């Protein structure tokens, strides 16, 4: 028999409206994910041993328990390739389903135009309600600077206050692009269905919960990678006759922004940094039950999932500044901001209140930098951080 080809692999994802239930058995509602080659998946089933004393040194046959499995998916973090320009709502990007499963809440802004009276820190628009607090926006600052990313820290009617000053005052009538803003919910997260192929070998994984989610690869010459680890409730090998094409097009064909010209700011002041990592810190648990999903799904022991803890954190490596250790010793909370430039594919993250947990000197190409781990603190009724793509 002919061997199967490992490189002929592809992955699709869909959010489940009902836990553990295939959102579309035909596959038509699934979205193609252009995952990295080191993404992995494995269906498993519990092996229940049956030890006993039978006056012999031998093993009794085991019985099979519940289905399970593990997936490791890595995708580029990027926008949809379509800018949310004037009157255009932000379009869900390739990683949208994964980000919704991790975070739970998404708000899609609508692009607008800059109005008269704007400054480098306050932008007047036609409709302030098209945006939301902590949303990243891309503002046209002319031929010298192009579209510049900033985060909205407050909205008063149609006036948007930015996290720090723009390099130039935008002209009246120029574009301001909106983004999709993801923030963490306490409850109500949707589970995922993943259809994964190795050549023509298909496994559909259902009731998938996020075990961990991190952003990595953020360096001066890198691209950001969303690394998501998942656990599985149920799986099957039923064919999907209407699965979309795996040929990259539209959002999957968008090129992730290389992290160059990407500014980092501490407390509203830009600094140079050569590396950044972020851990979403969510902890989901399955709600297991003797009945599971009922007699129609006999090999499942999970009835749902629940977010049980959240401890977002990260690490950044800026060049040495005495203020870093001063802030650490004083337990000072600072805002952190990072964003890539460009239109249509940009992304950024904003943390209103972060605390350093212990700076360490680094030798970076013979220069003094500091590895600065940070924790993300409570921010009252506002989100403790926001991840945006636009």
């Amino acid at each position: 028999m002919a061997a199967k080809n490992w490189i002929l692999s592809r992955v699709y994802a869909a959010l489940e409206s009902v836990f553990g239930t295939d959102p579309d058995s035909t596959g038509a509602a699934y979205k193609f994910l252009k995952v990295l080659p080191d993404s992995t998946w494995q269906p498993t089933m519990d092996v229940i041993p049956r030890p006993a004393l039978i006056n012999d040194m031998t093993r009794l046959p085991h019985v099979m328990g519940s289905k399970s499995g593990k997936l490791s998916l890595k995708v580029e973090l990027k926008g949809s390739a379509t800018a949310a320009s004037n009157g255009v709502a932000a379009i869900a990007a390739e990683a949208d389903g994964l980000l919704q499963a991790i975070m739970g809440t998404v708000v899609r802004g609508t692009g607008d135009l800059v109005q008269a009276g704007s400054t480098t820190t306050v932008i007047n628009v036609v409709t302030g309600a098209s945006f939301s607090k902590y949303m990243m926006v891309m503002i046209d600052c002319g031929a010298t600077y192009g579209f510049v990313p900033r985060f909205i820290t407050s909205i008063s009617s149609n006036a948007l206050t930015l996290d720090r000053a723009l390099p130039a005052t935008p002209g009246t009538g120029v574009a301001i692009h909106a983004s999709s803003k993801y923030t963490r919910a306490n409850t109500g997260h949707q589970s995922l269905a993943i259809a994964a192929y190795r050549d023509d070998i298909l496994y559909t994984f259902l009731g998938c919960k996020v075990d961990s989610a991190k952003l990595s690869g953020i360096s001066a010459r890198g691209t950001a990678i969303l690394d998501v680890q998942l656990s599985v409730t149920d799986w099957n090998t039923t064919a999907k006759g209407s699965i979309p094409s795996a040929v990259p097009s539209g959002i999957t064909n968008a090129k992730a922004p290389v992290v160059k010209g990407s500014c980092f700011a501490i407390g509203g002041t830009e600094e140079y940094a050569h590396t950044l990592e972020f851990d979403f810190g969510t902890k989901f648990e399955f709600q297991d039950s003797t009945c599971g999903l009922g007699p129609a799904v006999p090999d499942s022991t999970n009835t749902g999932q629940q977010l049980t803890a959240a401890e977002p954190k990260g690490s950044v490596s800026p060049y040495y500044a005495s203020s870093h250790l001063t802030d650490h010793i004083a337990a000072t909370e600072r805002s952190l901001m990072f964003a890539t430039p460009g239109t249509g594919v940009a992304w950024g993250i904003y943390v209103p209140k972060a605390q350093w947990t212990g700076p360490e000197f680094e030798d970076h190409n013979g220069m003094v930098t500091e590895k600065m781990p940070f924790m993300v603190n409570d921010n009252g009724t506002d989100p403790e951080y926001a991840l945006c793509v636009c």
Side-chain angles (χ1 to χ4, degrees), residues 83-90 109-115 118-119 121-128 130-132 135-141 146-152 155 158-162 166 170-179 342-343 390:
S85 55
N86 181 35
V88 177
T110 300
D112 210 323
L113 299 176
V114 174
Q115 300 301 296
S118 296
T119 68
T121 55
V122 178
I123 303 299
N124 297 320
V125 295
V126 176
T127 308
S130 296
F131 307 91
S132 66
M135 180 174 286
M136 187 173 83
V137 291
M138 307 295 292
I139 305 169
D140 187 354
C141 288
F147 279 85
V148 177
R150 288 293 185 269
F151 284 83
I152 301 168
I155 301 175
N158 296 329
L160 314 179
T161 299
L162 308 178
L166 293 165
T172 299
V174 303
I176 174 170
H177 295 172
S179 63
T343 58
C390 68

Side-chain angles (χ1 to χ4, degrees), residues 51-69:
L53 298 176
I54 59 171
N55 194 35
D56 195 359
M57 294 183 185
T58 188
R59 179 182 184 273
L60 295 177
H62 61 255
V63 294
M64 301 307 295
S66 300
K67 285 183 177 177
S68 57

Side-chain angles (χ1 to χ4, degrees), residues 2 36 41 52 54-55 75 78 85 87 98 113 122 139 158 169 187 193 219 228 251 256 282 311 342 360 378:
L36 271 63
W41 52 91
I54 59 171
N55 194 35
V75 298
K78 58 188 180 182
S85 55
L98 295 176
L113 299 176
V122 178
I139 305 169
N158 296 329
T169 301
T187 60
S219 62
V228 184
I251 61 173
T282 51
E311 194 175 86
E360 298 178 7
D378 175 70

